[in-house]
Amino acid sequence: DQQVKQNSPSLSVQEGRISILNCDYTNSMFDYFLWYKKYPAEGPTFLISISSIKDKNEDGRFTVFLNKSAKHLSLHIVPSQPGDSAVYFCAASSTNAGKSTFGDGTTLTVKP
Amino acid sequence: NAGVTQTPKFRVLKTGQSMTLLCAQDMNHEYMYWYRQDPGMGLRLIHYSVGEGTTAKGEVPDGYNVSRLKKQNFLLGLESAAPSQTSVYFCASSYPRTGDGYTFGSGTRLTVV
């Protein structure tokens, strides 16, 4: 049973517009949610995280929203830039578990 | 440069051969992890360690062994490689603070023929 799901394998947006990447989870014990970005032939890079006690966290062009009742989170990128084209992984973990569970990723393409 | 270094970057093995993947980090992180990524799939946890001398199984531990004899190193061993172990392997490390995220290595692409 996949505990973290990213239902959209791919997303294409125009440069300057908003990119919205979605993630759903099933385990109520998760209390931290993270987003990573991955370019081809490189390891993932940590982007932004949010604690379950918050509903929003912002870092520059990146904002993560958490809806605990729906067990859903989303990453907003505004404005999108061609350099944002990458695979984005959602991950979830519970404090003291010592490990994260990852979704399958969404490939974002930002067209100039 | 500070970070996570994986050795080797590429390897081709014959079925039944053994090998060890090395992961080294210089950030004094307590936790270390081994993940594998297969095409179209996310990162699946093989084994992890929350401190020197400790290891634990992840989602897909079968066919792999690990050791963490020193805090900065985490070794992943394949005793008898199988084609199903063809994958890209990523090592990562982190502090115990869950929201800080992992630092990943650049990966090892392993092909078992």
Side-chain angles (χ1 to χ4, degrees):
Chain A
D1 181 30
Q2 198 168 11
Q3 297 187 65
V4 178
K5 293 183 182 180
Q6 295 178 256
N7 292 318
S8 298
S10 62
L11 174 68
S12 181
V13 300
Q14 208 65 35
E15 181 179 5
R17 306 293 291 267
I18 185 171
S19 295
I20 300 176
L21 296 97
N22 295 303
C23 179
D24 296 300
Y25 63 96
T26 58
N27 189 340
S28 300
M29 298 301 293
F30 289 143
D31 57 3
Y32 266 98
F33 304 91
L34 309 97
W35 286 94
Y36 291 82
K37 176 180 179 179
K38 184 183 181 304
Y39 292 120
E42 295 184 10
T45 302
F46 170 66
L47 203 53
I48 190 170
S49 67
I50 187 168
S51 162
S52 61
I53 63 174
K54 295 184 176 181
D55 55 16
K56 177 183 175 181
N57 190 25
E58 196 170 352
D59 183 2
R61 295 186 298 114
F62 302 90
T63 303
V64 57
F65 295 92
L66 175 62
N67 182 334
K68 282 184 63 178
S69 61
K71 293 190 175 65
H72 176 83
L73 64 151
S74 60
L75 175 68
H76 292 212
I77 306 174
V78 184
S80 301
Q81 299 173 354
D84 296 328
S85 296
V87 178
Y88 288 79
F89 290 102
C90 170
S93 60
S94 50
T95 303
N96 300 324
K99 55 190 170 76
S100 290
T101 301
F102 286 76
D104 287 344
T106 296
T107 300
L108 172 66
T109 303
V110 180
K111 297 181 179 179
Chain B
N1 291 334
V4 177
T5 302
Q6 291 185 232
T7 311
K9 295 192 183 306
F10 303 93
R11 185 73 186 268
V12 178
L13 280 181
K14 293 183 178 179
T15 298
Q17 286 185 319
S18 63
M19 78 164 294
T20 300
L21 281 68
L22 171 64
C23 178
Q25 54 96 3
D26 58 4
M27 296 167 287
N28 203 34
H29 284 166
E30 285 293 329
Y31 293 3
M32 295 188 75
Y33 316 83
W34 277 106
Y35 284 86
R36 60 177 286 175
Q37 184 188 18
D38 299 306
M41 297 183 71
L43 298 158
R44 292 186 292 168
L45 183 63
I46 305 171
H47 287 280
Y48 64 104
S49 168
V50 298
E52 182 178 314
T54 72
T55 63
K57 294 181 180 180
E59 301 171 67
V60 289
D62 294 342
Y64 305 96
N65 56 76
V66 287
S67 64
R68 183 112 181 257
L69 299 179
K70 293 183 178 180
K71 186 177 183 178
Q72 63 267 36
N73 295 336
F74 195 29
L75 306 181
L76 178 70
L78 286 74
E79 292 183 344
S80 179
S84 61
Q85 293 178 306
T86 294
S87 189
V88 180
Y89 292 84
F90 289 102
C91 176
S93 67
S94 74
Y95 292 115
R97 296 186 298 271
T98 311
D100 286 355
Y102 297 172
T103 300
F104 280 89
S106 58
T108 295
R109 184 173 294 275
L110 175 67
T111 303
V112 183
V113 298

